[in-house]
Amino acid sequence: MSEELVNIEVDGVPVKARKGAMIIHATDAHGAYVPRFCYHDKLSIAANCRMCLVEVEKAPKPLPACATPVAEGMKVFTKSPKAIAAQKATMEFLLINHPLDCPICDQGGECELQDLAMGFGRDISRYTERKRVVKDKNLGPLVSTDMTRCIHCTRCVRFGQEIAGIPELGTIGRGEMTQISTFIEKSVDHELSGNIIDLCPVGALNNKAYRYRARAWEMSQHPLVSPHDCAGTNLNGHVLRGRLMRVVPRDHEGINETWIADRDRYSCEGLYTADRALKPMVKEGGAWEVNYQGTMEFKGGTGRYKDGKGKGTYKGRVTADSFIETGEGELEL
């Protein structure tokens, strides 16, 4: 059964949109950009950043495009003076308490707030009062926090609830005192925790292992496939002067969508550790010795095995074909 469509206008251009879809879905599908912070394709709609305000004919005030469903005959204006004024006013409010950390922020160069501030921000702030300061949270060894930069988009909160299924982060406080935090002082420990780094539109949540090591524009990007799972999660590796600095997800709707596990994101740190085995080694006589041939065909000794018929011991050698050669023939592992 074909889905029901409605006729709307976007900036004077007649378009068709699925009935029940939000305005932002229709504008994205037809190339009319609407700025946003809290909206994400894979998360539920929160509509709390208000950056996507657009003008709708006969509406008394601008409406959030991410939370307003389309209707037959609706006329939407994303570039009108009323819409632009609302978006600029929202940006000014978001920057009231945001610190000028861009020169030292790891998100610099790939920051959504930076990009939209260039288009919708003022060159001089009218706010002269003291900015709010929020104490950083200890979320564990993987995610660093600079919570004064947070704009309360709640992407990280919704990710834990809807994608990871472990709601470890939440919103506490009201008004200017609102903070993103754990409800009780604990770390974020689930195996998808690093995805909140990618979701954060500002520099509030960052990769702790990558902190202060490189800038986005300095690195080259190379496609990778995860070595840690059987699904083939798509990754991108960011390389600076021949050294892999970090790993981020590469979108693939059929496999990993836009998420990756922490083992994929942080395992690159093990490439340059001092105790990494760089050559094949065999332990003989209590000492490790480099032995290229010996690792492919280890001779002598006894060991234990487990196969479909049960457990037992062997005496002989293990070959490169994963067989144990014994006096009674070969036993496949």
Side-chain angles (χ1 to χ4, degrees):
M1 180 179 178
S2 61
E3 57 186 17
E4 189 175 351
L5 301 177
V6 296
N7 298 294
I8 66 172
E9 281 189 16
V10 177
D11 294 331
V13 179
V15 300
K16 292 184 180 293
R18 179 176 55 84
K19 185 177 181 180
M22 302 301 160
I23 291 176
I24 201 166
H25 298 150
T27 55
D28 284 353
H30 295 87
Y33 178 72
V34 175
R36 78 288 304 265
F37 288 116
C38 67
Y39 173 79
H40 192 279
D41 285 339
K42 303 298 181 183
L43 302 175
S44 62
I45 294 171
N48 51 7
C49 78
R50 318 308 283 183
M51 192 64 207
C52 65
L53 293 175
V54 295
E55 181 182 0
V56 177
E57 189 180 55
K58 298 181 181 179
K61 58 183 180 181
L63 300 177
C66 69
T68 306
V70 297
E72 183 67 34
M74 176 182 282
K75 294 184 178 180
V76 180
F77 304 94
T78 66
K79 304 287 192 297
S80 68
K82 190 175 182 179
I84 296 296
Q87 293 162 2
K88 287 187 174 182
T90 300
M91 175 57 68
E92 186 173 13
F93 275 111
L94 290 174
L95 292 177
I96 279 177
N97 282 312
H98 195 81
L100 186 57
D101 284 350
C102 299
I104 62 166
C105 179
D106 276 324
Q107 197 80 353
E110 52 187 1
C111 175
E112 295 177 42
L113 184 66
Q114 235 180 7
D115 294 340
L116 294 183
M118 288 292 294
F120 300 92
R122 296 168 57 95
D123 55 349
I124 299 176
S125 174
R126 295 185 292 177
Y127 187 79
T128 58
E129 288 76 10
R130 180 175 298 186
K131 291 178 180 285
R132 182 191 69 158
V133 176
V134 180
K135 184 180 178 181
D136 294 338
K137 307 295 188 295
N138 181 13
L139 299 185
L142 303 180
V143 181
S144 66
T145 61
D146 293 273
M147 301 311 293
T148 301
R149 303 170 185 166
C150 179
I151 60 171
H152 308 138
C153 71
T154 69
R155 282 184 181 182
C156 56
V157 177
R158 285 174 284 148
F159 173 81
Q161 294 173 341
E162 301 163 15
I163 306 299
I166 306 176
E168 293 181 321
L169 289 173
T171 304
I172 61 174
R174 300 184 66 183
E176 190 185 43
M177 305 309 295
T178 300
Q179 297 183 27
I180 302 296
S181 175
T182 53
F183 291 113
I184 54 177
E185 292 297 328
K186 59 177 293 187
S187 58
V188 178
D189 299 322
H190 59 80
E191 62 179 338
L192 298 174
S193 64
N195 289 290
I196 62 177
I197 298 168
D198 302 321
L199 284 173
C200 185
V202 295
L205 303 173
N206 288 297
N207 186 327
K208 186 173 283 189
Y210 166 76
R211 194 170 175 86
Y212 302 140
R213 292 175 61 190
R215 286 297 199 178
W217 60 84
E218 297 176 324
M219 298 182 289
S220 58
Q221 181 170 280
H222 303 274
L224 307 172
V225 174
S226 168
H228 299 105
D229 59 42
C230 59
T233 297
N234 284 223
L235 313 171
N236 276 321
H238 292 170
V239 177
L240 175 64
R241 292 188 284 274
R243 184 185 179 97
L244 182 61
M245 304 301 291
R246 66 176 177 180
V247 172
V248 297
R250 178 159 50 97
D251 291 355
H252 193 299
E253 286 299 315
I255 300 178
N256 57 297
E257 295 184 351
T258 186
W259 321 116
I260 61 174
D262 288 348
R263 61 180 177 271
D264 292 323
R265 186 183 302 272
Y266 295 103
S267 61
C268 63
E269 299 299 320
L271 295 175
Y272 307 104
T273 56
D275 58 351
R276 182 192 172 197
L278 301 177
K279 298 177 181 179
M281 305 177 77
V282 172
K283 193 171 186 178
E284 294 182 353
W288 289 100
E289 297 181 3
V290 177
N291 189 333
Y292 287 90
Q293 182 62 27
T295 54
M296 298 299 293
E297 186 173 308
F298 179 56
K299 300 179 180 179
T302 61
R304 299 186 63 84
Y305 70 85
K306 180 179 180 182
D307 65 357
K309 298 179 181 179
K311 300 179 181 179
T313 60
Y314 71 84
K315 185 175 182 179
R317 63 175 183 168
V318 181
T319 70
D321 296 323
S322 296
F323 286 91
I324 295 175
E325 297 182 359
T326 67
E328 299 178 357
E330 294 181 337
L331 175 67
E332 184 175 358
L333 290 177

